[in-house]
Amino acid sequence: MPRLDYVIHYVESLGRSVTFYRDVIGLTVRLEGDGYVEFAMDNTKFSLFERSRLAELIGREGGTPPCGEIGFMIDDVDGEAARLERLGVEILSGPVNRPWRERTLHIADPDGNIIEFAQKLR
């Protein structure tokens, strides 16, 4: 399998989560409809789907968050931490230097899904 095509987070409130990813994280909505919102990304699709609609999609409920993590590569983890703190976002961990030569910061979205911001260390 040569590449990952998309990641979808199942969310309780599509409106609340879109506001978070748009206004706090800074993503731009590219497509929306039928309980689904997709953000404009360069390398993959990142989307949200209304958890209450899972039964009609796959025939059962989804898991309880946090179910996974998404990561964004950025240039300045410390600057992002300061920006997020000014917005009142709870920092779960970091910024901290990791043994794999990245500086990381972790927060959670409104459903408890984990978001990591990572900066390559030289």
Short mmCIF file of all heavy atoms in Angstrom, two decimals, residues 68-97:
data_model
loop_
_atom_site.label_atom_id
_atom_site.label_comp_id
_atom_site.label_asym_id
_atom_site.label_seq_id
_atom_site.Cartn_x
_atom_site.Cartn_y
_atom_site.Cartn_z
N GLY A 68 -7.63 7.26 18.92
CA GLY A 68 -6.43 7.40 18.12
C GLY A 68 -5.84 8.78 18.28
O GLY A 68 -6.23 9.55 19.15
N GLU A 69 -4.90 9.07 17.42
CA GLU A 69 -4.18 10.34 17.46
C GLU A 69 -3.92 10.79 16.04
O GLU A 69 -3.68 9.96 15.16
CB GLU A 69 -2.84 10.13 18.18
CG GLU A 69 -1.95 11.33 18.21
CD GLU A 69 -0.65 11.06 18.96
OE1 GLU A 69 -0.71 10.56 20.10
OE2 GLU A 69 0.42 11.33 18.39
N ILE A 70 -3.98 12.09 15.82
CA ILE A 70 -3.52 12.65 14.56
C ILE A 70 -2.36 13.57 14.87
O ILE A 70 -2.28 14.15 15.96
CB ILE A 70 -4.63 13.39 13.77
CG1 ILE A 70 -5.17 14.55 14.58
CG2 ILE A 70 -5.72 12.44 13.36
CD1 ILE A 70 -6.04 15.48 13.77
N GLY A 71 -1.44 13.68 13.94
CA GLY A 71 -0.26 14.50 14.17
C GLY A 71 -0.05 15.50 13.05
O GLY A 71 -0.26 15.18 11.89
N PHE A 72 0.34 16.70 13.44
CA PHE A 72 0.66 17.75 12.49
C PHE A 72 2.13 18.11 12.66
O PHE A 72 2.59 18.36 13.78
CB PHE A 72 -0.19 19.01 12.75
CG PHE A 72 -1.66 18.81 12.54
CD1 PHE A 72 -2.51 18.57 13.61
CD2 PHE A 72 -2.20 18.88 11.26
CE1 PHE A 72 -3.88 18.40 13.41
CE2 PHE A 72 -3.56 18.71 11.06
CZ PHE A 72 -4.40 18.47 12.14
N MET A 73 2.88 18.13 11.57
CA MET A 73 4.27 18.60 11.58
C MET A 73 4.22 20.12 11.44
O MET A 73 3.60 20.64 10.51
CB MET A 73 5.09 17.99 10.44
CG MET A 73 5.32 16.51 10.58
SD MET A 73 6.15 16.00 12.11
CE MET A 73 7.73 16.78 11.95
N ILE A 74 4.87 20.81 12.37
CA ILE A 74 4.90 22.27 12.35
C ILE A 74 6.32 22.76 12.57
O ILE A 74 7.20 21.98 12.93
CB ILE A 74 3.93 22.87 13.40
CG1 ILE A 74 4.32 22.46 14.82
CG2 ILE A 74 2.49 22.45 13.10
CD1 ILE A 74 3.48 23.13 15.90
N ASP A 75 6.54 24.05 12.39
CA ASP A 75 7.87 24.62 12.52
C ASP A 75 8.21 25.06 13.93
O ASP A 75 9.38 25.15 14.30
CB ASP A 75 8.04 25.82 11.57
CG ASP A 75 8.01 25.40 10.11
OD1 ASP A 75 8.46 24.28 9.80
OD2 ASP A 75 7.51 26.20 9.29
N ASP A 76 7.21 25.40 14.76
CA ASP A 76 7.46 26.00 16.06
C ASP A 76 6.47 25.47 17.10
O ASP A 76 5.40 26.06 17.30
CB ASP A 76 7.37 27.53 15.95
CG ASP A 76 7.67 28.25 17.25
OD1 ASP A 76 8.11 27.61 18.23
OD2 ASP A 76 7.43 29.47 17.29
N VAL A 77 6.84 24.40 17.79
CA VAL A 77 5.97 23.80 18.79
C VAL A 77 5.75 24.75 19.97
O VAL A 77 4.64 24.87 20.49
CB VAL A 77 6.53 22.44 19.27
CG1 VAL A 77 5.89 21.98 20.57
CG2 VAL A 77 6.31 21.38 18.20
N ASP A 78 6.80 25.45 20.39
CA ASP A 78 6.66 26.36 21.53
C ASP A 78 5.71 27.52 21.20
O ASP A 78 4.88 27.90 22.03
CB ASP A 78 8.03 26.88 21.97
CG ASP A 78 8.87 25.76 22.53
OD1 ASP A 78 8.66 25.40 23.71
OD2 ASP A 78 9.72 25.22 21.80
N GLY A 79 5.82 28.05 20.00
CA GLY A 79 4.91 29.11 19.57
C GLY A 79 3.48 28.62 19.50
O GLY A 79 2.54 29.34 19.88
N GLU A 80 3.29 27.38 19.03
CA GLU A 80 1.94 26.80 18.96
C GLU A 80 1.38 26.58 20.36
O GLU A 80 0.20 26.83 20.62
CB GLU A 80 1.95 25.50 18.16
CG GLU A 80 0.60 24.89 17.94
CD GLU A 80 -0.33 25.72 17.06
OE1 GLU A 80 0.09 26.72 16.45
OE2 GLU A 80 -1.52 25.36 16.99
N ALA A 81 2.22 26.13 21.29
CA ALA A 81 1.77 25.94 22.67
C ALA A 81 1.31 27.27 23.27
O ALA A 81 0.26 27.32 23.91
CB ALA A 81 2.89 25.33 23.51
N ALA A 82 2.06 28.32 23.03
CA ALA A 82 1.68 29.63 23.56
C ALA A 82 0.36 30.10 22.93
O ALA A 82 -0.52 30.62 23.64
CB ALA A 82 2.79 30.64 23.28
N ARG A 83 0.19 29.89 21.63
CA ARG A 83 -1.05 30.29 20.95
C ARG A 83 -2.25 29.53 21.51
O ARG A 83 -3.29 30.11 21.81
CB ARG A 83 -0.92 30.05 19.44
CG ARG A 83 -2.12 30.53 18.63
CD ARG A 83 -2.00 30.13 17.16
NE ARG A 83 -2.31 28.73 16.95
CZ ARG A 83 -3.55 28.22 16.85
NH1 ARG A 83 -4.60 29.00 16.96
NH2 ARG A 83 -3.73 26.94 16.65
N LEU A 84 -2.08 28.22 21.68
CA LEU A 84 -3.17 27.40 22.20
C LEU A 84 -3.52 27.77 23.64
O LEU A 84 -4.69 27.82 24.01
CB LEU A 84 -2.81 25.92 22.10
CG LEU A 84 -2.74 25.37 20.67
CD1 LEU A 84 -2.08 24.00 20.66
CD2 LEU A 84 -4.11 25.33 20.03
N GLU A 85 -2.52 28.05 24.45
CA GLU A 85 -2.78 28.47 25.83
C GLU A 85 -3.55 29.78 25.87
O GLU A 85 -4.45 29.95 26.69
CB GLU A 85 -1.47 28.58 26.61
CG GLU A 85 -0.90 27.22 26.96
CD GLU A 85 0.46 27.28 27.64
OE1 GLU A 85 1.20 28.29 27.45
OE2 GLU A 85 0.78 26.33 28.36
N ARG A 86 -3.22 30.72 24.98
CA ARG A 86 -3.96 31.99 24.91
C ARG A 86 -5.43 31.75 24.57
O ARG A 86 -6.30 32.50 24.99
CB ARG A 86 -3.33 32.94 23.89
CG ARG A 86 -2.07 33.61 24.36
CD ARG A 86 -1.63 34.74 23.44
NE ARG A 86 -1.41 34.35 22.06
CZ ARG A 86 -0.29 33.85 21.57
NH1 ARG A 86 0.77 33.66 22.36
NH2 ARG A 86 -0.18 33.54 20.30
N LEU A 87 -5.71 30.69 23.79
CA LEU A 87 -7.08 30.34 23.44
C LEU A 87 -7.79 29.54 24.54
O LEU A 87 -8.96 29.22 24.40
CB LEU A 87 -7.09 29.53 22.13
CG LEU A 87 -6.69 30.29 20.87
CD1 LEU A 87 -6.57 29.33 19.69
CD2 LEU A 87 -7.71 31.39 20.56
N GLY A 88 -7.07 29.20 25.59
CA GLY A 88 -7.66 28.44 26.69
C GLY A 88 -7.68 26.94 26.48
O GLY A 88 -8.39 26.23 27.18
N VAL A 89 -6.89 26.45 25.53
CA VAL A 89 -6.83 25.01 25.25
C VAL A 89 -5.96 24.33 26.30
O VAL A 89 -4.85 24.80 26.60
CB VAL A 89 -6.27 24.75 23.83
CG1 VAL A 89 -6.10 23.27 23.58
CG2 VAL A 89 -7.18 25.39 22.78
N GLU A 90 -6.43 23.22 26.85
CA GLU A 90 -5.65 22.46 27.83
C GLU A 90 -4.52 21.72 27.12
O GLU A 90 -4.75 20.97 26.17
CB GLU A 90 -6.55 21.46 28.55
CG GLU A 90 -5.79 20.61 29.55
CD GLU A 90 -6.62 19.51 30.18
OE1 GLU A 90 -7.79 19.33 29.79
OE2 GLU A 90 -6.08 18.81 31.05
N ILE A 91 -3.31 21.90 27.62
CA ILE A 91 -2.14 21.19 27.11
C ILE A 91 -2.03 19.88 27.90
O ILE A 91 -1.94 19.90 29.13
CB ILE A 91 -0.84 22.02 27.28
CG1 ILE A 91 -0.98 23.40 26.63
CG2 ILE A 91 0.36 21.24 26.78
CD1 ILE A 91 -1.16 23.39 25.13
N LEU A 92 -2.04 18.74 27.21
CA LEU A 92 -1.93 17.45 27.88
C LEU A 92 -0.48 17.11 28.20
O LEU A 92 -0.19 16.54 29.25
CB LEU A 92 -2.53 16.35 27.00
CG LEU A 92 -4.01 16.50 26.66
CD1 LEU A 92 -4.46 15.37 25.74
CD2 LEU A 92 -4.86 16.54 27.92
N SER A 93 0.42 17.42 27.26
CA SER A 93 1.85 17.21 27.50
C SER A 93 2.66 18.10 26.58
O SER A 93 2.23 18.42 25.48
CB SER A 93 2.25 15.74 27.29
OG SER A 93 2.24 15.41 25.92
N GLY A 94 3.85 18.47 27.06
CA GLY A 94 4.76 19.25 26.25
C GLY A 94 4.61 20.74 26.45
O GLY A 94 3.82 21.18 27.27
N PRO A 95 5.39 21.44 25.67
CA PRO A 95 6.38 20.94 24.71
C PRO A 95 7.53 20.20 25.40
O PRO A 95 7.99 20.60 26.45
CB PRO A 95 6.90 22.20 24.02
CG PRO A 95 5.89 23.26 24.29
CD PRO A 95 5.25 22.90 25.59
N VAL A 96 7.94 19.13 24.74
CA VAL A 96 9.02 18.31 25.27
C VAL A 96 9.82 17.70 24.12
O VAL A 96 9.26 17.37 23.08
CB VAL A 96 8.46 17.20 26.21
CG1 VAL A 96 7.54 16.25 25.44
CG2 VAL A 96 9.56 16.45 26.91
N ASN A 97 11.14 17.61 24.31
CA ASN A 97 12.00 16.96 23.32
C ASN A 97 11.91 15.45 23.49
O ASN A 97 11.98 14.94 24.61
CB ASN A 97 13.45 17.41 23.48
CG ASN A 97 13.64 18.86 23.10
OD1 ASN A 97 12.77 19.50 22.51
ND2 ASN A 97 14.78 19.42 23.45
#
